[in-house]
């Protein structure tokens, strides 16, 4: 059945892919987005895909949200501040946009007559912090354990491995399940967890459909090339095009689960079309861990660059060491399995990047902001 979907943050990376898919499936789409200059550049103009309507507005402004919600039956909440490192020193901004913005959205839904019956929230794997590990020293039978966030002192020693909370030994990563411990290691992650809890309580109180989708590292064509605070692959493509060095944090062996944006948009649309009363929380990842050094080398190869990525041994407070998703729950709940391999996805990303103007590299500036606050070593 055709829906009228409000996508907050719909002018962003995931939002644009979702808009295209929702329109192609016959839904009406409204976008609320403030065209944040950090993401879209200064004086950004945005033309929504044909058939979608666009309201330039802010999720922290009640009147903008009220206008955007008129006549809508489904809300996909994507609008957010998204930089892990930046969140550690722009705490007020991250709280206002991610938490207060969510509060205003849910407050309107609770207090005004409306026909919204389904909510989809873009959450993040960051809510797990380090996620699940196995300690082969004190739990040889493979019980899961949950290391604490690595302290600034541990990182300063360049001791990168998370430790067993029982015996202190190095631990081995394993795929994170939705029921694993939640332990945000950054302010960004804390705001995403707050969003989850608020959506869960508000949706269940009114028996609305709810899907909380914990995205892993989403990459692909359309990710902002302007934003130096998030999107490591987009940042690397710019440096490669400018012929700059590719510094990889820590020892390069830290891993992420890279999932292509098209697979993510498919998952979001699935749950936007099918309300789950009582709610569902699922990981959305590719389900494989890839080291940052590996992905940096792959990217250079796909872009035909002879730059050799190097280990910088630098680190950011608030970064996690590893995390990859167990995606069985996504498959059970939706029948979907992310299908775009890293090789295929990187080729698509690079083909798109080549059509874009080369932006300035702002990674050094973003790193300097962290260093000035003792959040990077
Ligand atoms: N991209 C990833 O790897 C990833 C991973 C985990 C979770 N997520 C989540 O997915 C969602 C979308 O991420 P994305 O990668 O598309 O990010 P993005 O930065 O490309 O898009 C976010 C959009 O929100 C808009 N926005 C920001 N603040 C706003 C405000 N106050 N009012 C209205 N609009 C505002 C921006 O202008 C932008 O268009 C976010 O909630 C993010 O936390 C993304």
């Amino acid at each position: 059945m055709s829906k009228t979907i409000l996508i907050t943050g719909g002018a962003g990376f995931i939002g644009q892919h979702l808009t295209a898919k929702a329109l192609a499936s016959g839904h009406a789409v409204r976008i609320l987005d403030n065209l944040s200059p950090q993401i879209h550049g200064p004086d950004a103009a945005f033309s929504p895909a044909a058939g979608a309507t666009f309201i330039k507005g802010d999720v922290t402004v009640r009147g903008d949200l009220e206008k955007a919600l008129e006549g809508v039956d489904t809300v996909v909440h994507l609008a957010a501040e998204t930089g892990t490192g930046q969140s550690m020193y722009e705490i007020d901004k991250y709280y206002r946009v991610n938490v207060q913005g969510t509060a205003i959205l849910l407050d309107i839904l609770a207090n005004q007559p409306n026909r919204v019956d389904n909510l989809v929230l873009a959450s993040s794997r960051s809510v797990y912090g380090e996620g699940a590990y196995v300690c082969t020293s004190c739990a040889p039978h493979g019980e899961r354990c949950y290391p604490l966030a690595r302290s600034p002192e541990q990182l300063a020693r360049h001791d990168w491995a998370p430790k067993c909370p029982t015996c202190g030994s190095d631990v081995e990563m394993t795929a994170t399940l939705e029921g694993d411990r939640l332990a945000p290691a950054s302010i960004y992650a804390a705001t995403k967890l707050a969003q989850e809890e608020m959506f869960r309580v508000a949706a269940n109180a009114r028996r609305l459909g709810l899907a909380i989708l914990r995205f892993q590292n989403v990459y692909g064509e359309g990710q902002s090339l302007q934003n130096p605070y998030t999107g490591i692959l987009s940042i690397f493509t710019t440096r490669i095009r400018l012929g700059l060095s590719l510094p990889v944090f820590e020892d390069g062996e830290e891993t992420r689960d890279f999932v292509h944006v098209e697979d993510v948009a498919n998952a979001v649309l699935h749950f936007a079309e099918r309300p789950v009363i009582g709610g569902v929380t699922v990981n959305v990842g590719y389900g494989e861990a890839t080291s940052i050094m590996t992905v940096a080398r792959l990217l250079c190869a796909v872009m035909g660059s002879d730059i050799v990525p190097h280990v910088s041994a630098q680190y950011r407070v608030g970064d996690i060491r590893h995390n990859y998703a167990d995606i069985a729950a996504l498959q059970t709940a939706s029948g979907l399995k992310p299908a775009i391999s890293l090789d295929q996805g990187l080729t698509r990303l690079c083909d798109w990047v080549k059509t874009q103007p080369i932006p300035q590299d702002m990674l050094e500036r973003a790193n300097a902001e962290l260093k000035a606050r003792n959040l990077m070593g």
Side-chain angles (χ1 to χ4, degrees), residues 8-15 32-36 39-40 57-60 77-82 97 122-125 188 192 195 214-219 222-224 227 230:
T8 71
F13 170 43
I14 297 168
L32 175 70
D33 199 299
N34 71 350
L35 301 184
S36 157
I39 296 149
H40 298 274
D58 199 303
V59 293
T60 63
H77 190 38
L78 301 179
E81 294 289 344
T82 63
V97 175
S123 185
S124 160
R125 56 104 178 126
Y188 166 68
K192 296 311 279 187
Q195 287 186 323
R214 292 180 180 152
F215 303 156
Q216 290 277 336
N217 274 55
V218 189
Y219 73 100
Q223 189 161 31
S224 173
N227 186 357
T230 190

Side-chain angles (χ1 to χ4, degrees), residues 25 84 121 208 239 284 286 319 321:
S25 298
T84 302
L121 173 68
L208 305 180
R239 290 188 69 86
V284 180
Y286 190 66
D319 263 351
R321 176 71 174 167

Side-chain angles (χ1 to χ4, degrees), residues 180-366:
D180 278 321
R181 196 183 73 150
L182 302 176
S186 67
I187 294 293
Y188 166 68
T191 65
K192 296 311 279 187
L193 184 53
Q195 287 186 323
E196 283 197 6
E197 299 293 6
M198 292 163 77
F199 263 74
R200 201 171 282 124
V201 173
N204 286 339
R206 299 189 51 231
R207 304 303 290 159
L208 305 180
L210 173 66
I212 293 173
L213 307 181
R214 292 180 180 152
F215 303 156
Q216 290 277 336
N217 274 55
V218 189
Y219 73 100
E221 46 281 19
Q223 189 161 31
S224 173
L225 298 173
Q226 319 269 346
N227 186 357
Y229 300 102
T230 190
I232 185 171
L233 296 185
S234 293
I235 292 167
F236 277 177
T237 62
T238 297
R239 290 188 69 86
I240 291 170
R241 295 170 86 198
L242 291 168
L244 298 171
S245 64
L246 275 198
V248 178
F249 284 152
E250 304 191 7
D251 60 358
E253 295 307 311
E254 64 277 16
T255 62
R256 297 292 183 269
D257 179 346
F258 291 98
V259 60
H260 190 267
V261 65
E262 188 175 330
D263 284 324
V264 171
N266 283 336
V268 177
L269 183 60
H270 174 94
F271 290 104
E273 289 176 331
R274 298 169 186 80
V276 181
I277 305 300
V280 65
T281 301
V282 292
N283 294 328
V284 180
Y286 190 66
E288 283 180 13
T290 304
S291 78
I292 301 300
M293 184 52 85
T294 300
V295 82
R297 286 183 182 138
L298 274 172
L299 196 60
C300 289
V302 173
M303 291 189 75
S305 164
D306 52 14
I307 292 172
V308 179
H310 68 279
V311 163
S312 72
Q314 290 181 307
Y315 59 88
R316 296 187 306 184
V317 175
D319 263 351
I320 56 150
R321 176 71 174 167
H322 302 294
N323 198 291
Y324 73 105
D326 187 307
I327 53 171
L330 170 68
Q331 287 176 253
T332 305
S334 66
L336 296 173
K337 183 174 191 290
I340 299 173
S341 70
L342 193 53
D343 283 339
Q344 292 168 329
L346 290 181
T347 302
R348 286 171 60 161
L349 169 66
C350 294
D351 287 347
W352 170 76
V353 160
K354 284 178 197 153
T355 68
Q356 301 298 306
I358 305 181
Q360 268 189 312
D361 175 68
M362 292 193 293
L363 180 63
E364 318 276 351
R365 195 190 80 188

Side-chain angles (χ1 to χ4, degrees), residues 22-85:
L23 290 169
S25 298
H27 304 296
V29 173
R30 186 174 306 153
I31 292 165
L32 175 70
D33 199 299
N34 71 350
L35 301 184
S36 157
Q38 179 167 302
I39 296 149
H40 298 274
D43 312 318
F46 173 69
S47 309
T53 54
F54 172 54
I55 297 172
K56 184 171 182 200
D58 199 303
V59 293
T60 63
V61 176
R62 191 178 183 97
D64 291 350
L65 270 169
E66 283 173 345
K67 191 168 151 202
L69 282 164
E70 277 168 24
V72 158
D73 51 55
T74 302
V75 177
V76 177
H77 190 38
L78 301 179
E81 294 289 344
T82 63
T84 302

